[in-house]
Structures are given as structure tokens and as C-alpha cells.
């Protein structure tokens, strides 16, 4: 006999005993009747219970169909005082676990779930509410960023100077001893596009205390100042304390968290990045995030090596060789020299497809990237030693084809067609919606629109509508697009705004106490299946300045649970209707309390 598994049984078959058919039918019918009785009685019991439960929970058709999420009240302990500058994913306490090759240890390495902190990060002893913009650009309270190491090490370069209870920022830098204003004036002479609204977004790699980005704000250019958490101590925290956009980051082994072809200008002033090492992979990343027609500005070694080599502890021959390598590498990835004077050299990324076509030829380095990796993929995405070629069909995304600022903000970018449902009418509708919302927000939060609120984060934007609606207020907005959401960040940059990719199941790349206002719209509705609400709110508390605000727009299902956790964070919150007063969506307006740790002398 052949079994189901295909094997044969060698044993002889046993004779089959015949059961009378009538008896078999009677047995089966009786059994079925018995089971049916049990099923029907149980069904009646359950149906009766269900009707009773529904009658209790749904007393009025006006109430939401789903009961609000209920969470028990909780209180969070204070972290110890040595966590006052805690940056979970770039924590020096964990650096020894990672390699030093290409500064890998400076990249994001978030703690595993069991090592996550569930405590409130305290402010430094003597912390005060920050000095308000625009005065903050030139000075900040020493006790808010109490890091004197950088003051001692960089005092000869005029980065900052401690005077009494304050740090002063004279606007100096390694490559601009006459001040950042004179430095940018020379740069504008070399790049006239910086004066007429053509150049709007910039990135400063190795930003120091972000004096370059701060100076450009008055010139209509919005800069993301980028620096790692390193031995210079809190460069990014100094920048944000001043009210200048900045984010923790380093070009190492992973792509930067920005889309391709987004920044109008990239800048490096003696940032000591080894551009020609490792096959030029760092420069290839700058090429990826720089839009066609965009400018790359370098000051410092090896530019002007003929006059500067003695101060760089090297020989003129070595510096000449470095400059020639750099120039050859830039030409090979379709950059061309645009202008050069004194210590500043400017290259421009080509918009000409004929140059990029040559990269497909055999034995060319760097070669053209294949299509196996999305050019905008930039969240824990490894750097690749190849050129991300701009898509030839995107002709209106080149710098020279974009409307000048501020007209650029209102025009639907070409790349909106890559977004499902994206169109000119969709953008217009989104902008109209956010103008109404922003007007309502200002009624609920009068500080919005004044210099009390400077650093703003829109935690889950789509097209940057909130940032566009408050563009005339004395603030700047970091637009965050979830790494799991539809990729709309290229549209944000094409409009002349700035932002980053992020996964809110992890900590953000910034220091504690760096934002005055956190705004979110349906973040928990979108991400609660992945991210624990408690940890997201703890992270919001970490990066929010004392006396700062959280403006939370959520479904009625989540709003009470959020308010319960916020109470444990020592926030004071009040629940408000949205601008249209719909029941399914509510607003929670919260303010973080200023408190000091138990051992602080400021208590």
C-alpha cells in the first residue's frame, strides 16, 4: 500500500469490517444534533453579551466609533546630572564599541531597547531661558552650554569668547580672520547667484559654531550646519543655542539623511575632511546631495597652497599634489571650476547630461551608479563609490531652472510628480490648509510668530506646508519626513525649505534643549504600530527647551493617552478643538516646565 509520503507498506492489509449503513447514519446525525445545540446556545450567549456591551459604550451617535486609548498615568525619574548633554545615538560612552576606521564611531549607533533611558534629561546647573533672536546670534548664556574646552582651544581663531556670564560669537573662523561677513562678501563676489535668490539652501560640513550659516540668514540663504559630536564639544549645540539651523552628522560610511539633488550650495571651510581619500567617496556624497548647477565651495587646504603651505605643516610639493588630485577627482565626477580667489575655490556641478554619459564607459572611475539603489535612499544607507547621475527627465530641478526665492516657495516643483497623488493642485490645497491651521495655532499659542519661538521642528511634514505658512515669522523650521513614509523631502528642498529623514522609533540627531516648538500632525496615528508612544514623548522632552512648546495634532483616539504621558513629563497641557471643531481630531497645546535636578544649586 502506498502512503501519502510515497512509501510502500510491506505489511499485509487487515480485513475491513463492514458497518451497517443505517446504523452509521443514525450515529452521525445524533452527534451533529448535539454539536449544533452547543453552538447555538453559545452563540446566543455571546450575541446577548455583545449587544449589552455595545449599548454601554455607544450612548450617542456623536461619540467616536472607537473608544479612546487608555494609558495609566506614569511619572518619570530624573536622569543623573552627567546626562545633561545626552545624545542617545551618538553617545561617547558607547564609542569604544565601534571601530575608528573612517570615524565609524561618530556615526549613529542607537542603544538597544533594553538600554534605553526612561528618565528626564536635566538642564545644566544655572540654566536660563535662551537669549532671544536676533540677539542670540551674537551671544548666549555660558551656563546653558557650559563647555569651556572649545573656548580655550579656539580662542586664537575668534570662534567665541567667554565674557562674564555669556559666550560671545565675534564671527571669526579658521579661514575668515577678518570676520565671517567679509568672508561671505568675497564669496558673493565669486558667486553672484547668492545675491539674487538663485541660491536658497546650503549645507555646511564641519560647521564649527555655525557662524557661516548664521551670516547667510540675513542674505536669504537657509543653511543646514552639520558637525559630528567630537572633541570640539557641542558645536551643534552652540549653533542651535544661537538660533541657527544645525544637526549632528558626519560623512563616514553612511549617506547623509538628505535626498539627492537638493542643496543649492555645499561649503567646507578647513573642515579637515579627506576629500581625495577612499576613492573620493566623501566628495561623491556631496555630489549626490548637491543639485545640478549647484556650487561646492572649499576654503583651506589645499586651496591657495602656494601662499599657505607653510602654515599647514607640510611642503609646497605635497600641497600641490593634493590640489591636483582634488581637481582631477572633481572633473571626473562632472564638476567644473567656477571661480577662485585667495583662499576660496568654487566648483559647479554640471547640468549637462553629456558629461554623465561618459561615466558609463568601461574602466572609468568613478563610474556611474547602477539603478539597484534609490538615489534618495538615505537612512542607514551605505556610501557607494559611484556617481549618482541626475535623472535627465528632471530638467526643471537644476538650479538655473528653479524660480528664484521667494517665488520658489509657491511653485509646485517638478519632483512632486514622483509623489503618489502629488500635483500642483495638491500642493496649492495643502498650502491653503496650513495657512488656516497656522492662523488657528497662533490664537491658541500667542508666542508663535514672536521671537519667543525661534527653533521649530515639524516632526512629520508632507510638503513643508506648516513651514511655508510661518515663513515670514522670526523662526526657522526643520522639516522631518519619516524614513517609513512617502518620500516628499525632495519637494521640501525644491521649495527652498530644509529638512531631514528620520525614524521616530529612534532618537533625533541633536543635543538636549535645542527646539522651542515641536509640531506634529498625526504622528502617533501613523507610527504607533512601530514606535512606543512613551519613548517618542521622552525624546520630544529631551530635545525641547525648558518653557518650550509642543503642538500636538492627533486623532481623538490618542489625545487622552498623550496627555496622560505628558503629565508624567511635567508638561502642562490643555486640549483644544481644531480650526474646524471636528470630533475625530483634537489639538494638545503643551509647555515644558523649567526644573533643575535634585542636586542642583539652582533649585
Amino acid at each position: 500500500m502506498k502512503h501519502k509520503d510515497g512509501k510502500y507498506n510491506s505489511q499485509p492489509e487487515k480485513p475491513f469490517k463492514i458497518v451497517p449503513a443505517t446504523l452509521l447514519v443514525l450515529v452521525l446525525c445524533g452527534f451533529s444534533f448535539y454539536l449544533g445545540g452547543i453552538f447555538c446556545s453559545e452563540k446566543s450567549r455571546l450575541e446577548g453579551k455583545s449587544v449589552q456591551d455595545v449599548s454601554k459604550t455607544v450612548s450617542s451617535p456623536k461619540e467616536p466609533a472607537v473608544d479612546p486609548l487608555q494609558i495609566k498615568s506614569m511619572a518619570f525619574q530624573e536622569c543623573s546630572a552627567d546626562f545633561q548633554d545626552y545624545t542617545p545615538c551618538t553617545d561617547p560612552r558607547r564609542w569604544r564599541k565601534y571601530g575608528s576606521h573612517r570615524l565609524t564611531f561618530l556615526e549613529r549607533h542607537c542603544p538597544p531597547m533594553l538600554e534605553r533611558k526612561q528618565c528626564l534629561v536635566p538642564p545644566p546647573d544655572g540654566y536660563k531661558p535662551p537669549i532671544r533672536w536676533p540677539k542670540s546670534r551674537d551671544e548666549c548664556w555660558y551656563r546653558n552650554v557650559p563647555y569651556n574646552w572649545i573656548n580655550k582651544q579656539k580662542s586664537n581663531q575668534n570662534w567665541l569668547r567667554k565674557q562674564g556670564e555669556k559666550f560671545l560669537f565675534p564671527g571669526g573662523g579658521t579661514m575668515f580672520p577678518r570676520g565671517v561677513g567679509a568672508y561671505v562678501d568675497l564669496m558673493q563676489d565669486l558667486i553672484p547667484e547668492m545675491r539674487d535668490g538663485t541660491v536658497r539652501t546650503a549645507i555646511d560640513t564641519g560647521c564649527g559654531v555655525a557662524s557661516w550659516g548664521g551670516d547667510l540668514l540675513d542674505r536669504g540663504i537657509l543653511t543646514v550646519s552639520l558637525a559630528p559630536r567630537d572633541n570640539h564639544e557641542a558645536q551643534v549645540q552652540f549653533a542651535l543655542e544661537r538660533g541657527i539651523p544645525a544637526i549632528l552628522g558626519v560623512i563616514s560610511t553612511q549617506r547623509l539623511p538628505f535626498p539627492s539633488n537638493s542643496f543649492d550650495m555645499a561649503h567646507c571651510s578647513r573642515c579637515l575632511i579627506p576629500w581625495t581619500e577612499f576613492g573620493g567617496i566623501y566628495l561623491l556624497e556631496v555630489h549626490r546631495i548637491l543639485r545640478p548647477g549647484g556650487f561646492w565651495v572649499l576654503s583651506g587646504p589645499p586651496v591657495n597652497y602656494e601662499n599657505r603651505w607653510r602654515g599647514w605643516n607640510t611642503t609646497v610639493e605635497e600641497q600641490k599634489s593634493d590640489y591636483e588630485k582634488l581637481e582631477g577627482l572633481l572633473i571626473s565626477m562632472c564638476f567644473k571650476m567656477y571661480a577662485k580667489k585667495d583662499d576660496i575655490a568654487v566648483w559647479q556641478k554640471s547640468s549637462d547630461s553629456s558629461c554623465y554619459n561618459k561615466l558609463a564607459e568601461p574602466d572609468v572611475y568613478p563610474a556611474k551608479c547602477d539603478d539597484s539603489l534609490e538615489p534618495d535612499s538615505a537612512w542607514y544607507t551605505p556610501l557607494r563609490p559611484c556617481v549618482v547621475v541626475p535623472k535627465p527627465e528632471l530638467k526643471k530641478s537644476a538650479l538655473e531652472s528653479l524660480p528664484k526665492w521667494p517665488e520658489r516657495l509657491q511653485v509646485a516643483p517638478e519632483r512632486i510628480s514622483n509623489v503618489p497623488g502629488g500635483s500642483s493642485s495638491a500642493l496649492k490645497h495643502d498650502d491653503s490648509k496650513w495657512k488656516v491651521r497656522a492662523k488657528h495655532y497662533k490664537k491658541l499659542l500667542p508666542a508663535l510668530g514672536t521671537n519667543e519661538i525661534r527653533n521649530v521642528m515639524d516632526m512629520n511634514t508632507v510638503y513643508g506646508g506648516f513651514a511655508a505658512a510661518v515663513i515670514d515669522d522670526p523662526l526657522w523650521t526643520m522639516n522631518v519626513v519619516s524614513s517609513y513614509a512617502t518620500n516628499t523631502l525632495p519637494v521640501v528642498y525644491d521649495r527652498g525649505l530644509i529638512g531631514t529623514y528620520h525614524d521616530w522609533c529612534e532618537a533625533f540627531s541633536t543635543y538636549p534643549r535645542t527646539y522651542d516648538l515641536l509640531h506634529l500632525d498625526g504622528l502617533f496615528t501613523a507610527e504607533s504600530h512601530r514606535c512606543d508612544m512613551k519613548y517618542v514623548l521622552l525624546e520630544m522632552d529631551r530635545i525641547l527647551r525648558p518653557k518650550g512648546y509642543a503642538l500636538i495634532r492627533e486623532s481623538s483616539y490618542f489625545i487622552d493617552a498623550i496627555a496622560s504621558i505628558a503629565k508624567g513629563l511635567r508638561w502642562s497641557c490643555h486640549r483644544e478643538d481644531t480650526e474646524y471643531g471636528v470630533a475625530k481630531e483634537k489639538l494638545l497645546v503643551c509647555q515644558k516646565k523649567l526644573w533643575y535636578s535634585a542636586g542642583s544649586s539652582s533649585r
Side-chain angles (χ1 to χ4, degrees), residues 222-267:
L222 196 56
T223 304
V224 176
S225 294
L226 181 80
R229 174 157 189 168
D230 63 2
N231 60 354
H232 282 170
E233 281 191 311
Q235 295 178 77
V236 164
Q237 193 170 15
F238 273 114
L240 288 160
E241 186 70 17
R242 299 175 68 187
I244 301 170
I247 192 170
L248 283 168
V250 62
I251 309 179
S252 178
T253 67
Q254 308 284 335
R255 283 180 170 181
L256 296 175
F258 311 115
S260 63
N261 308 319
S262 292
F263 289 98
D264 306 332
M265 180 165 61
H267 172 256

Side-chain angles (χ1 to χ4, degrees), residues 403-411:
K404 298 183 189 306
W405 181 262
E407 292 80 11
R408 174 174 169 179
L409 181 65
Q410 309 300 333
V411 177

